[in-house]
Amino acid sequence: MKSKVFNSKTAELLSHHQVEIKQEFPREGWVEQDPKEILQSVYECIEKTCEKLGQLNIDISNIKAIGVSNQRETTVVWDKLTGEPLYNAVVWLDLRTQSTVESLSKRIPGNNNFVKSKTGLPLSTYFSAVKLRWLLDNVRKVQKAVEEDRALFGTIDSWLIWSLTGGASGGVHCTDVTNASRTMLFNIHSLEWDKELCEFFEIPMKILPNVRSSSEIYGLMKAGALEGVPISGCLGDQSAALVGQMCFQDGQAKNTYGTGCFLLCNTGRKCVFSEHGLLTTVAYKLGRDKPVYYALEGSVAIAGAVIRWLRDNLGIIKSSEEIEKLAKEVGTSYGCYFVPAFSGLYAPYWEPSARGIICGLTQFTNKCHIAFAALEAVCFQTREILDAMNRDCGIPLSHLQVDGGMTNNKILMQLQADILYIPVVKPSMPETTALGAAMAAGAAEGVGVWSLEPEDLSAVTMERFEPQINAEESEIRYSTWKKAVMKSMGWVTTQSSESVVPDDSSVFLQIIGLNGNDVCRKYYQLMDSKDASSLPMERIQ
């Protein structure tokens, strides 16, 4: 969790604070977070950031608006009367819904994939609707709250805005079009919750938040150092980065290196549907009366998370920064390839049966080579998405704009330029996700402290990484990576047994997130094509 304060005239970062949120892995494939911890970390970040502003002799009364940006598909259900979450947040990476996805996919007519045509998304464990369906099916507290009209659903932005604007005492239950477009319940053409989709997933529409634009006043902060300040910007993290990178023209693209990797290309006011495994999504709608813009997106599940895994699970580094030092020592993976398919493979494959592998090991391989291979894996996955995007758009990108915490790693950025064989361009302030949320908040009607007119946008200084290896070597490395990817598929074939969530509130806190009804781990193998990225989306579902 991060909070950042920007100067609305210069886009300069004035102050910031960061708190790491714990992720819980109660079962293989399950990923959860505590919604109350997330909310508390927001309050802590705000207080600490304001303290730092005071030390710089900046009066916090100068803060005119607040923007929210969030990991998009993570799902929360809470009690609107008490403000208490009814279960842990089910994180976007979570895989427990695979059996739900499989049973639902059988009900979609082969010649009319209305889910994809309305939402731009494949039926996947990634999106919120199936996570919400699991909670409704498996958690008695959620079922009871829905029956008694006490339940509210939201992605993290909704949970935060509702809580920060008063919670049980009049909190605003809303989301924006970018987050709504990741639920699989939202029609990206009409920009409304879709009755047919809600009936298909059996989701009661009364628990859904109101959908608003990405830049308008939703409500006022009701507590803390910024009490009374309007919350007026809301964007899913990848849309926020697109705005922060000022990719407002058709064909402009950015790649964000965070927990996962997300490459978005602005397609303007038209929906472009991918033939190569990409998602069609809402890019932004910067004002109630402003037009909606769309994007093609390629999603990689595991990017920065692989560094965290090397740190927390293997213990070969003590801090995330160390990986650059290890990789620099060897300057090559020495034939070692790492496919971090911990949550299956996302774009362009959409293959849930894949699992992580490290291959090409010899007695010579050491932790430095594995560290280098981990960085290469992030770059190869980005290359797969860029190739798909080039095929869909027909106009290859001349350079790639990048942002996110991992872009501080110079070895990674150089590797990315080498593997893509085009220049990689990084802004001097890589935290463009927070900047995008700030821009949307400051530009909102009734706030008006940030102009989004092209002539008023601050010029950003850029660092440029040019390819330094020959194209042939780049292609050989990439084709070997593809071979490793094929070997990672089809690993999950067995069922896992899980027990039922009890309805005993006296033990609920102790077992939160540890139980659930039987989730069938039944996967199917679709990879009878050597190049899975060429499979049509309908096939991959």
Side-chain angles (χ1 to χ4, degrees):
M1 183 61 64
K2 302 173 183 176
S3 65
K4 297 179 185 293
V5 179
F6 295 92
N7 181 318
S8 64
K9 299 289 180 278
T10 63
E12 176 194 359
L13 179 63
L14 300 175
S15 176
H16 64 97
H17 190 75
Q18 183 170 339
V19 175
E20 188 163 342
I21 305 285
K22 284 199 295 290
Q23 293 212 114
E24 298 173 28
F25 306 96
R27 292 182 183 277
E28 193 243 326
W30 292 31
V31 191
E32 299 179 358
Q33 290 175 330
D34 179 353
K36 290 173 83 171
E37 184 192 346
I38 294 170
L39 179 59
Q40 194 48 49
S41 74
V42 168
Y43 280 119
E44 183 184 335
C45 282
I46 288 171
E47 297 297 323
K48 297 287 188 195
T49 304
C50 289
E51 279 175 27
K52 291 174 183 177
L53 282 174
Q55 290 161 12
L56 296 167
N57 294 321
I58 298 171
D59 193 328
I60 61 168
S61 67
N62 288 317
I63 295 178
K64 300 301 181 193
I66 296 165
V68 174
S69 175
N70 59 291
Q71 292 183 346
R72 298 165 294 178
E73 299 79 9
T74 300
T75 298
V76 190
V77 180
W78 67 94
D79 187 319
K80 67 182 176 187
L81 301 183
T82 65
E84 290 292 310
L86 296 166
Y87 191 78
N88 267 355
V90 181
V91 176
W92 60 279
L93 280 168
D94 189 280
L95 286 175
R96 77 187 68 185
T97 54
Q98 186 52 39
S99 62
T100 311
V101 168
E102 286 173 18
S103 61
L104 286 167
S105 67
K106 290 171 187 159
R107 291 169 44 203
I108 297 176
N111 60 349
N112 176 26
N113 189 341
F114 65 94
V115 175
K116 187 187 172 192
S117 63
K118 288 182 179 215
T119 67
L121 310 174
L123 193 57
S124 165
T125 58
Y126 183 12
F127 307 109
S128 311
V130 288
K131 301 178 196 302
L132 179 52
R133 184 67 258 149
W134 187 92
L135 290 168
L136 290 165
D137 287 339
N138 293 279
V139 182
R140 181 61 192 137
K141 278 196 166 188
V142 172
Q143 295 162 356
K144 200 160 181 291
V146 171
E147 288 161 13
E148 296 172 4
D149 199 20
R150 292 182 287 110
L152 295 178
F153 152 78
T155 42
I156 295 296
D157 57 306
S158 298
W159 162 244
L160 291 178
I161 292 172
W162 184 84
S163 301
L164 297 172
T165 57
S169 305
V172 178
H173 187 216
C174 70
T175 188
D176 89 301
V177 289
T178 66
N179 282 293
S181 76
R182 311 297 290 197
T183 59
M184 261 193 323
L185 301 170
F186 185 71
N187 188 313
I188 60 173
H189 311 286
S190 66
L191 302 184
E192 292 173 333
W193 298 121
D194 190 282
K195 192 167 182 289
E196 186 186 12
L197 289 169
C198 290
E199 285 171 358
F200 176 71
F201 290 105
E202 297 178 74
I203 304 293
M205 293 183 82
K206 64 184 179 180
I207 72 174
L208 303 178
N210 292 317
V211 183
R212 313 271 285 270
S213 77
S214 312
S215 179
E216 60 179 271
I217 295 174
Y218 313 111
L220 307 180
M221 284 284 287
K222 284 294 191 304
L226 299 180
E227 188 175 346
V229 177
I231 300 175
S232 54
C234 180
L235 286 158
D237 49 6
Q238 304 315 319
S239 288
L242 196 74
V243 171
Q245 285 268 32
M246 296 165 208
C247 294
F248 294 126
Q249 305 299 315
D250 288 21
Q252 285 188 301
K254 66 87 210 169
N255 196 32
T256 298
Y257 298 76
T259 305
C261 231
F262 303 90
L263 206 163
L264 265 70
C265 180
N266 189 332
T267 62
R269 293 168 66 174
K270 61 184 181 295
C271 278
V272 175
F273 282 86
S274 174
E275 295 299 322
H276 301 98
L278 303 181
L279 311 177
T280 305
T281 199
V282 175
Y284 51 81
K285 184 180 190 293
L286 295 173
R288 205 175 306 185
D289 304 319
K290 296 288 172 67
V292 65
Y293 283 75
Y294 296 95
L296 272 177
E297 173 174 344
S299 314
V300 168
I302 303 292
V306 75
I307 314 303
R308 197 167 172 171
W309 183 81
L310 290 175
R311 182 192 73 189
D312 298 344
N313 293 40
L314 288 197
I316 70 171
I317 51 174
K318 289 191 177 68
S319 71
S320 299
E321 292 72 34
E322 265 184 64
I323 193 156
E324 187 173 6
K325 185 166 163 281
L326 286 186
K328 198 173 182 178
E329 273 183 44
V330 286
T332 173
S333 68
Y334 201 77
C336 170
Y337 286 82
F338 192 160
V339 182
F342 303 151
S343 297
L345 289 166
Y346 283 12
Y349 301 100
W350 299 103
E351 180 46 70
S353 73
R355 282 299 177 271
I357 62 167
I358 303 174
C359 53
L361 300 174
T362 69
Q363 284 181 306
F364 182 69
T365 310
N366 62 33
K367 65 180 182 180
C368 297
H369 299 116
I370 291 170
F372 195 96
L375 294 182
E376 270 193 320
V378 176
C379 301
F380 286 132
Q381 290 179 104
T382 300
R383 165 80 188 264
E384 291 197 290
I385 287 171
L386 197 70
D387 283 359
M389 206 162 270
N390 287 340
R391 288 200 290 271
D392 278 326
C393 294
I395 306 163
L397 289 181
S398 58
H399 66 277
L400 181 65
Q401 288 175 234
V402 300
D403 57 71
M406 287 185 83
T407 60
N408 291 324
N409 186 323
K410 289 191 185 317
I411 298 256
L412 177 72
M413 292 296 95
Q414 186 55 56
L415 267 175
Q416 189 66 88
D418 289 347
I419 287 164
L420 296 181
Y421 213 66
I422 57 172
V424 166
V425 180
K426 174 195 156 189
S428 54
M429 200 284 295
E431 294 291 349
T432 53
T433 300
L435 177 60
M439 289 165 69
E445 187 180 341
V447 178
V449 296
W450 205 307
S451 170
L452 297 181
E453 296 303 320
E455 63 273 15
D456 296 327
L457 293 170
S458 305
V460 181
T461 54
M462 299 282 191
E463 188 176 0
R464 196 175 170 95
F465 296 84
E466 300 283 348
Q468 290 183 352
I469 63 171
N470 65 53
E472 189 184 358
E473 187 187 340
S474 181
E475 288 306 315
I476 290 167
R477 279 157 67 174
Y478 182 47
S479 63
T480 311
W481 154 263
K482 299 274 266 192
K483 203 160 88 178
V485 169
M486 299 313 289
K487 291 184 187 302
S488 78
M489 293 180 189
W491 282 95
V492 179
T493 53
T494 57
Q495 297 186 356
S496 68
S497 61
E498 292 140 9
S499 54
V500 177
V501 177
D503 191 35
D504 183 348
S505 57
S506 65
V507 298
F508 186 78
L509 286 177
Q510 293 167 24
I511 56 84
I512 197 162
L514 296 179
N515 301 286
N517 277 349
D518 205 36
V519 177
C520 174
R521 302 263 178 211
K522 190 177 63 174
Y523 294 96
Y524 46 85
Q525 184 71 12
L526 296 172
M527 297 301 141
D528 57 359
S529 161
K530 286 189 178 172
D531 180 8
S533 65
S534 67
L535 287 169
M537 181 70 81
E538 290 79 7
R539 180 78 189 291
I540 294 171
Q541 289 169 357

